Amino acid sequence: MADKICETEGKTAEANHMERWPDRPGWDVLANTIETLAKACGGSAQCHKKYEYLSVSLETGGMPKAQVNALRALAELVEQVSDTKEHGDQSTVHWARKVLAEVSNK
C-alpha cells in the first residue's frame, strides 16, 4: 500500500514540476534535462526564472572535472536557449527553441 502512495505522490510532484513555466514553451524540458543529468552525475541542478531566461545553479562537489565541465557547458546552453531575445530563423538557438516547443507539445 505504501508503494502506491509513493508512486502517486511522485506523479503529482512530477506533474507540478512540469508546469513551472506554462507561458514559456520548452523551459520545462530544458530544466528537467539538466536537473536529471546533474543528478545522474551525483550532483544537482536547479533552474529558476531570471528576468526572461532560465538561470541554472549547479552543485557539483565531488564530481570528476570532466562531468563538472560538461554540466557547466549544458547549463550555459540552457540559459542561452531559454533567453527570449530573437536570434533569427537560421540560428542554432532558434532551432533548439523549435525542437523544445515540439517536444513539450507531445
Side-chain angles (χ1 to χ4, degrees), residues 15-95:
N16 290 338
H17 176 78
M18 295 304 290
E19 295 175 1
R20 290 186 279 183
W21 305 286
D23 60 328
R24 306 284 185 201
W27 277 25
D28 288 315
V29 175
L30 286 170
N32 189 41
T33 299
I34 187 99
E35 289 167 355
T36 300
L37 287 172
K39 187 175 179 179
C41 292
S44 66
Q46 292 189 0
C47 296
H48 306 279
K49 184 176 181 180
K50 183 171 184 177
Y51 307 112
E52 296 298 317
Y53 68 93
L54 281 176
S55 175
V56 181
S57 301
L58 295 172
E59 292 290 331
T60 57
M63 291 172 52
K65 187 173 181 175
Q67 288 180 337
V68 171
N69 290 341
L71 285 173
R72 285 184 181 152
L74 288 172
E76 179 67 25
L77 183 62
V78 164
E79 291 182 357
Q80 288 181 17
V81 171
S82 69
D83 191 348
T84 60
K85 291 183 220 165
E86 189 51 52
H87 296 278
D89 288 348
Q90 301 302 314
S91 71
T92 302
V93 172
H94 178 78
W95 172 82

